[in-house]
């Protein structure tokens, strides 16, 4: 059974402590559940629902109560399916200003989902303890330095400007990870602070997203924990036509398969249902 993590020491300053805490989180004998909090007007599945700070804070409390191990907060939609409206640095910080400290105060480790190094730096100073970069340190040239200087764990996610149906997506993701890991090593980011993520739905056809989940073990050779974020994504619609809000069944199936294939963390909108599904799957495995 998953437990809510309320270890406030996770957000204590100090590089070593932050890295140790990631290691301790990952050492739990179950996959971790990262709950998504989108403080945005335009996220693909819940845009506008949590833009008002009081609503965002209520949602963060709900994610924590339902058993999220990490809360991933973002204030700029990354629009995996195009049509991104970029948000200024000031606007992104303004959206987060009231919400982030209240979320940090819940005691659940917080990751900041941002493309901008100054937003990441500011969020880390507010108590966030993980950086989630959906361009894997390859977009903002200052991101790796910020991560290294704060000694914080970082999620390196694969991305592409456009999907190319003819490429070998497994090899493309591996090459991207190799580039990101070189950037990280150059900046002095310790390897044990890195989590890899194939970026389900980002610059991928539905078939390629499915292949990434099916062949997760292909990236085991990097020797790093893997995060999978399949929640409500469009590849589910390609299998069973459905609106984003109707994709819970597909999200659960995808995350259970990801965990079966070695994912250490799943990034989800529906924490309670995911925690329950993972607990039952684990109980069945134990009963073998
Ligand atoms: N997916 C989204 C955003 N951030 N970060 C990681 N590491 N992995 C993911 O798969 C991932 C991510 C897209 O989901 P959401 O945040 O709900 O949508 P939007 O980007 O439109 O706000």
């Amino acid at each position: 059974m998953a437990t809510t993590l309320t270890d406030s020491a996770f957000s204590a300053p100090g590089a070593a402590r932050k890295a140790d805490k990631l290691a301790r989180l990952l050492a739990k004998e179950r996959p971790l559940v990262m709950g998504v909090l989108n403080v945005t007007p335009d996220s693909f599945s819940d845009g506008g629902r949590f833009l008002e700070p009081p609503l965002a804070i209520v949602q963060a409390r709900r994610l924590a109560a339902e058993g999220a191990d990490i809360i991933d907060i973002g204030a700029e939609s990354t629009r995996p399916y195009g049509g991104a409206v970029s948000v200024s640095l000031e606007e992104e910080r303004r959206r987060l200003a009231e919400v982030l400290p209240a979320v940090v105060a819940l005691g659940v480790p917080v990751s900041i989902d941002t493309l901008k190094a100054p937003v990441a730096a500011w969020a880390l100073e507010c108590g966030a303890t993980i950086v989630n970069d959906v361009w894997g340190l390859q977009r903002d040239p200052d991101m790796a330095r910020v991560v290294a200087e704060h000694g914080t764990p970082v999620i390196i996610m694969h991305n592409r400007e456009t999907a190319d149906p003819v490429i070998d997506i497994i090899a493309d993701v591996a090459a991207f990870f190799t580039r990101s890991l070189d950037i990280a090593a150059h900046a002095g980011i310790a390897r044990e602070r890195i989590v890899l993520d194939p970026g389900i739905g980002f610059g991928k056809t539905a078939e390629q997203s499915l292949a990434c989940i099916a062949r997760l073990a292909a990236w085991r050779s990097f020797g790093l924990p893997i995060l999978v974020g399949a929640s409500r994504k469009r590849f589910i619609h390609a299998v069973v036509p459905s609106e984003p809000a109707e994709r819970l069944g597909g999200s659960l199936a995808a995350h259970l398969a990801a965990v079966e294939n070695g994912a250490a963390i799943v990034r989800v909108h529906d924490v309670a249902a995911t925690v329950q599904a993972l607990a039952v799957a684990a109980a069945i495995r134990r009963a073998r």
Side-chain angles (χ1 to χ4, degrees), residues 81-280:
Y81 309 113
V85 180
S86 58
V87 170
S88 70
L89 172 61
E90 293 71 33
E91 174 62 10
E92 197 174 338
R93 259 200 312 234
R94 192 190 64 73
R95 290 179 187 172
L96 292 166
E98 243 182 273
V99 178
L100 183 59
V103 177
V104 168
L106 296 174
V108 177
V110 173
S111 61
I112 177 69
D113 184 350
T114 186
L115 296 170
K116 302 185 186 78
V119 173
W122 170 82
L124 293 170
E125 268 133 44
C126 292
T129 47
I130 302 171
V131 172
N132 177 18
D133 183 354
V134 301
W135 277 95
L137 305 174
Q138 296 185 33
R139 179 54 67 91
D140 186 328
D142 217 25
M143 190 66 100
R145 182 191 62 78
V146 165
V147 170
E149 281 183 9
H150 284 79
T152 188
V154 61
I155 297 158
I156 283 176
M157 196 196 84
H158 170 267
N159 213 329
R160 297 174 51 84
E161 292 293 351
T162 51
D164 181 346
V166 302
I167 58 168
D168 174 347
I169 195 67
I170 305 300
D172 193 70
V173 171
F176 182 99
F177 286 163
T178 300
R179 273 197 305 280
S180 293
L181 290 170
D182 277 353
I183 293 168
H186 255 89
I189 299 170
R191 223 178 145 86
E192 64 268 21
R193 290 178 200 161
I194 297 174
V195 173
L196 300 177
D197 178 347
I200 303 303
F202 287 87
K204 294 171 188 70
T205 64
E207 291 70 24
Q208 288 171 336
S209 285
L210 289 163
C212 285
I213 297 170
R215 296 174 60 197
L216 213 58
W219 305 302
R220 224 179 253 162
S221 54
F222 286 99
L224 294 171
I226 296 180
L227 181 152
V228 168
S231 195
R232 302 182 184 170
K233 289 200 173 149
R234 192 182 286 174
F235 77 93
I236 297 169
H237 171 79
V239 180
V240 180
S242 48
E243 292 303 312
E246 298 163 348
R247 296 178 191 161
L248 176 59
S251 304
L252 293 173
H255 290 130
L256 289 176
V259 165
E260 200 64 41
N261 292 339
I265 309 175
V266 293
R267 180 183 182 277
V268 309
H269 300 88
D270 302 286
V271 168
T274 305
V275 166
Q276 186 181 79
L278 290 173
V280 171

Side-chain angles (χ1 to χ4, degrees), residues 31-116:
L32 302 176
V33 175
M34 170 185 271
V36 178
L37 181 61
N38 286 320
V39 191
T40 57
D42 57 346
S43 286
F44 82 94
S45 83
D46 58 5
R49 285 191 60 200
F50 310 116
L51 185 58
E52 289 304 315
L55 297 178
I57 295 164
V58 166
Q59 177 65 2
R61 283 203 201 103
R62 177 177 175 178
L63 297 173
E66 290 182 351
D69 298 290
I70 301 166
I71 295 178
D72 187 42
I73 181 166
E76 176 177 29
S77 169
T78 47
R79 298 305 288 196
Y81 309 113
V85 180
S86 58
V87 170
S88 70
L89 172 61
E90 293 71 33
E91 174 62 10
E92 197 174 338
R93 259 200 312 234
R94 192 190 64 73
R95 290 179 187 172
L96 292 166
E98 243 182 273
V99 178
L100 183 59
V103 177
V104 168
L106 296 174
V108 177
V110 173
S111 61
I112 177 69
D113 184 350
T114 186
L115 296 170
K116 302 185 186 78

Side-chain angles (χ1 to χ4, degrees), residues 6-20:
T6 52
D7 191 345
S8 58
F10 195 90
S11 55
R17 256 172 300 167
K18 282 179 186 171
D20 286 354

